[in-house]
């Protein structure tokens, strides 16, 4: 279980305080698949970085429940592969020297199989399409057997066909391995197709939460899916009170 309590994050930009996140409180059950959606600049990456432990919150706490801290895997928008290493060596990089070579071989082969790239194990990153490179990045995160898998707009740069295939593949992997997944996207349709829970962020605030009750794999043309999509879009496009809410709005900001 992952619990965020009253998370806030401010940045100081040239002497001006920028509020990236405020008052974020949410509980994510272990093994759940949550998507976070909102427009560019709403605080999605900041939230993901806080979950990954890469950025400290200015206030609030993240707790992972009882037991040892979770193993965290992160996938960014670009694959960030090492161009001088083969697909296989990119995937097993984090395990080198930590496990016996035959275990590494076994685990890397298994995840490459899972993302459908076993036959490309000897290929170099420059020889891969964007979708394949992103699958290698996912394999590299999965090979560490994370309890918590964080993905930051991982499919944003892919064409629509590849994106659909990758979305289905991710759901497949989640159903097989059941890590807790937090998936960030600016695409409402993607958020609804993937998430059991959708968190809606606007200007650093949580403006809505939905539990999506539709079976996987989801169809973008399913009326239930389009209805969730419309509702979330409406909520994200609704005018938000300017911050802090207690101060009277003197001038209305135009978005
Ligand atoms: N390292 C940083 N320094 C200063 N401001 C930042 C930094 N990271 C993010 N911000 C600001 O915080 C806000 C949220 O950014 P971000 O979390 O990257 O949003 P998103 O991922 O939704 O596009 C933006 O206004 C951005 O300019
Ligand atoms: Mg971002």
């Amino acid at each position: 279980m992952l619990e965020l309590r009253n998370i806030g994050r401010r940045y100081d930009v040239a002497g001006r305080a920028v509020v990236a996140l405020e008052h974020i409180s949410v509980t994510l059950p272990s093994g759940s698949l949550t998507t976070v959606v909102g427009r560019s600049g709403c605080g999605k990456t900041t939230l993901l970085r806080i979950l990954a432990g890469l950025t400290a919150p200015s206030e609030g706490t993240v707790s992972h429940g009882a037991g040892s801290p979770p193993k965290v895997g992160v996938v960014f928008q670009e694959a960030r592969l090492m161009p001088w290493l083969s697909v296989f060596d990119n995937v097993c990089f984090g395990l080198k020297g930590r496990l016996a070579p035959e275990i590494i071989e076994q685990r890397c082969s298994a995840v490459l199989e899972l993302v459908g790239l076993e036959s490309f194990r000897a290929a170099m990153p420059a020889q891969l399409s964007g979708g394949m490179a992103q699958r290698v990045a996912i394999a590299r995160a999965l090979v560490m057997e994370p309890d918590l898998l964080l993905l930051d707009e991982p499919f944003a740069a892919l064409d629509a066909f590849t994106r659909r295939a990758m979305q289905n593949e991710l759901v497949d992997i989640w159903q097989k391995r059941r890590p807790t997944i937090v998936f960030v996207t600016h695409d409402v349709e993607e958020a609804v197709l993937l998430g059991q829970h959708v968190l809606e962020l606007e200007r650093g605030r949580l403006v809505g939460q939905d539990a999506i009750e539709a079976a996987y794999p989801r169809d973008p043309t399913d009326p239930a899916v389009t209805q969730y999509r419309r509702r979330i879009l409406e909520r994200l496009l609704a005018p938000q009170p300017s911050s802090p809410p207690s101060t009277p709005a003197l001038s209305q900001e135009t978005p």
Side-chain angles (χ1 to χ4, degrees), residues 3-9 24 50 56-63:
E3 194 174 1
L4 305 185
R5 216 173 286 157
N6 199 30
I7 292 289
R9 172 72 206 202
I24 308 287
I50 289 173
S58 310
E59 65 248 330
T61 53
V62 179
S63 74

Side-chain angles (χ1 to χ4, degrees), residues 22-23 205 240-250:
E22 56 184 351
H23 309 309
R205 296 195 194 164
Q240 303 301 320
S242 48
S243 78
S246 51
T247 42
L250 294 176

Side-chain angles (χ1 to χ4, degrees), residues 41 43-46 77 152-153 184:
K44 302 182 298 295
T45 295
T46 303
Q77 186 167 343
D152 194 356
E153 309 209 30
V184 159

Side-chain angles (χ1 to χ4, degrees), residues 20-43:
L21 291 174
E22 56 184 351
H23 309 309
I24 308 287
S25 293
V26 64
T27 302
L28 311 178
S30 294
S32 60
L33 200 178
T34 301
T35 51
V36 180
V37 68
R39 72 184 81 200
S40 174
C42 73

Side-chain angles (χ1 to χ4, degrees), residues 8-9 18 29 36 40 59-60 73 76 84 89 92 101 125 133 138 143 147-148 151-152 163 181 185-186 230 239 253:
R9 172 72 206 202
V18 171
V36 180
S40 174
E59 65 248 330
F76 298 97
W84 61 91
D89 286 335
C92 64
I138 292 172
V143 84
D147 312 299
L148 177 59
L151 304 107
D152 194 356
R163 191 181 318 135
I181 294 184
T185 179
H186 63 259
R230 185 164 342 116
E253 243 183 273

